[in-house]
Structure formats: structure tokens, C-alpha cells
Amino acid sequence: MISRLVALEQQRLAALGYNSVVTPISLRVDKSIKNIALGNDTYILTGVRLSDADVSEDRHIITLVSATDGFTASQRDISLMGQAVYKTLRSFLVIRTAGNEAWEDGASIPPYTLDFIKITPIPNPNTIVK
């Protein structure tokens, strides 16, 4: 499934006259709200890695919002989905983590890591721009 999503995104960029670079990346989340400007990059969510403390409890809810997709689930549910969690995210990414604790916006939280495939468009030297 991931290879199909990457291929579709590469086809979309090729139709616009761009080549692309595909890179796996990880984002560490340690605040209750994290905003990321993706620019022209496309991120595909592939999973979550939790700390040992987070695996035992199903209380932290992650909400991902972008211009193209949104997703809400507990950290544990995302980790159990494994290969079925793919979401394509463009333009911006807002990561909101909520729990039983009364976290204020931007407060420190137990850290976790989100894994993505990042697709970056690069100019195609064979494309003539008018």
C-alpha cells in the first residue's frame, strides 16, 4: 500500500513537471500542540513509536489535521494498526495530543515519535517553463 501511495504522489508531481525525492523521516512530539509547515512536501503517515509508559495505557489521543486528510485515534490504536495507518498529508500538519491530564495548549507531554515517508518535489531539468 505504501509503495502505491508513493507512486501516485510521484505521478502527480510528474504531471506537474517535477521529479521527486522520497525520504523516511521521524518527528518527535513532546508538546500538546505541534504545528508544521510542509511547504510543497507530502508526508505519508506510516506509524507511531511510543515510550514504554505510553504502551501500557490507552489514554492519549492523537489528532492529525492537514489540508488533505485528518485522523484521530489513541496512540495505542495507531501502533496496533501497523501497515494500515497510511494517511497522505500536504501543506501543513497540526498534531494535537490530548489525555486525561489537563494539558494546556503547548504544554510538555510524554514524548512519542511519528514516522512518515516524505516526498519532496524537485525541478525537472528537462521541463521547459514558459
Side-chain angles (χ1 to χ4, degrees), residues 39-102:
N40 292 326
D41 296 338
T42 299
Y43 282 41
I44 300 172
L45 177 66
T46 59
V48 63
R49 284 183 279 141
L50 310 174
S51 68
D52 292 339
D54 292 331
V55 173
S56 62
E57 300 182 28
D58 193 34
R59 61 185 177 166
H60 299 140
I61 304 297
I62 300 172
T63 301
L64 300 174
V65 178
S66 81
T68 56
D69 209 342
F71 186 74
T72 299
S74 70
Q75 289 175 329
R76 185 174 182 152
D77 288 345
I78 294 172
S79 65
L80 292 175
M81 285 180 192
Q83 300 298 321
V85 72
Y86 304 132
K87 296 289 179 183
T88 302
L89 310 161
R90 291 189 196 110
S91 297
F92 62 88
L93 176 60
V94 178
I95 304 168
R96 172 92 162 117
T97 307
N100 293 338
E101 300 86 353

